[in-house]
Amino acid sequence: MGEQIRLASPRDGFEFDAYRAPTMDARRGGLVVCHAIWGVTPHLRALADQFAEDGYETIVPSLFDRHLELDGARGFAERDTDPALYARQNGYAEHAAWGAEVLDGVQAAIDAMAPPVFALGFCFGGTVAWLAASRCTGLSAVASYYGGQIIDYLHDAPKVPTLLHLGKTDELIPPATVAAIREAYPEMPVHEYEAGHAFVAPNGFHADSARLSRLRTLQLFARNGGGNNRGGEP
C-alpha cells in the first residue's frame, strides 16, 4: 500500500529514506511514526498502512540513515527484530544527536504533510515523540509509547496535547519513573496497561493493551483536529 520516499533535512539538506502510506479516501490528517531502535521494520510499515486506512497519511522516517550510510546499510529493515544487529542498532540510538539528526528527520516528515499533523513513537521512538512535542513545530498532538528515556528529558515540556502509554510490568520503565513523570505533569494522561515493554510490537505483543492504546491514540488525534477532509486538503 505504501511507498519508499526520500526526504531532506531542513538543517543541512541530508536526504534520508522514509516509508509513506497515503490515504485512499477521506483524510483526517498526517501522522509521523517514530521507530524503535530496529528502524523502519515490516511491522511499522504495516502499522502505517493501517493508520492510512483510518484516514491518516502516514510517514515513517528512517532516523538512523546518517549512521546506516556510513555502514553501507541504507534501506528498510527486513525483520522486526534481529539479535545479530542489536549492538549496531542500539549504538545508533546511543550516538544519534537528538536535534541535529533525529528531530531534523521528524521535522522533515512533518513539513512534508498538510496539517493537522500528529506524531507517535515506540521505545526509542517514544522518547523521540516526547521531544518532538516540545521541540518540533507543526504538530497538533503526540502519543508516546513506552519511551524509556523520557525521564531524562522531563524539562522538555510538551507544547501540544500529549499522552503516554506504558506497561505496568515494563522493566525498562520502573514504577519510580512513572511516578516522577506523573508528578512532573499531573494533568497529562499517563495510561498504564497490564503488559510489559513493546506491547504493540511483535516481540512483546499484548492484544488488549495494543487495542486500547490505539483507540486512545485515535481519540487524541480526533479531539485535536483529526477531521474528515477529502482529497488530502488541509
Side-chain angles (χ1 to χ4, degrees):
M1 179 178 178
E3 60 180 346
Q4 183 171 338
I5 63 172
R6 279 284 180 99
L7 298 174
S9 163
R11 179 179 60 87
D12 63 2
F14 175 81
E15 292 190 352
F16 60 95
D17 296 322
Y19 180 81
R20 175 181 176 268
T23 57
M24 295 294 101
D25 192 5
R27 184 185 188 275
R28 294 179 178 271
L31 174 61
V32 182
V33 174
C34 306
H35 61 68
I37 66 166
W38 303 107
V40 185
T41 61
H43 170 250
L44 284 193
R45 300 198 294 272
L47 199 63
D49 291 344
Q50 292 170 16
F51 278 114
E53 291 176 357
D54 288 327
Y56 292 92
E57 174 191 0
T58 303
I59 292 179
V60 190
S62 185
L63 302 174
F64 294 156
D65 265 14
R66 294 177 190 265
H67 300 274
L68 287 165
E69 184 167 273
L70 291 174
D71 288 341
R74 285 279 290 260
F76 296 153
E78 297 179 0
R79 300 174 61 182
D80 290 318
T81 59
D82 190 342
L85 295 178
Y86 176 80
R88 186 191 78 176
Q89 297 297 125
N90 195 53
Y92 293 161
E94 290 179 347
H95 295 102
W98 288 113
E101 298 178 23
V102 177
L103 293 177
D104 266 7
V106 175
Q107 189 64 60
I110 295 169
D111 294 344
M113 292 183 283
V117 179
F118 309 93
L120 63 82
F122 304 96
C123 193
F124 168 80
T127 303
V128 174
W130 170 267
L131 291 173
S134 66
R135 302 188 191 183
C136 289
T137 60
L139 287 174
S140 294
V142 168
S144 169
Y145 289 74
Y146 34 86
Q149 292 175 270
I150 289 175
I151 189 65
D152 299 326
Y153 298 98
L154 283 184
H155 60 282
D156 280 270
K159 296 178 181 177
V160 297
T162 298
L163 62 78
L164 306 187
H165 300 298
L166 305 171
K168 290 183 179 179
T169 57
D170 188 339
E171 295 181 355
L172 299 179
I173 308 175
T177 294
V178 179
I181 295 172
R182 289 186 183 276
E183 182 178 359
Y185 298 97
E187 302 302 320
M188 182 177 64
V190 179
H191 300 293
E192 292 186 82
Y193 302 86
E194 299 294 337
H197 193 69
F199 56 76
V200 176
N203 57 314
F205 187 70
H206 187 265
D208 287 345
S209 301
R211 177 191 57 79
L212 182 54
S213 62
R214 178 183 176 84
L215 175 62
R216 285 169 168 163
T217 293
L218 291 173
Q219 289 174 338
L220 172 73
F221 296 166
R223 288 195 302 268
N224 291 279
N228 282 308
N229 294 311
R230 288 280 179 176
E233 293 297 325

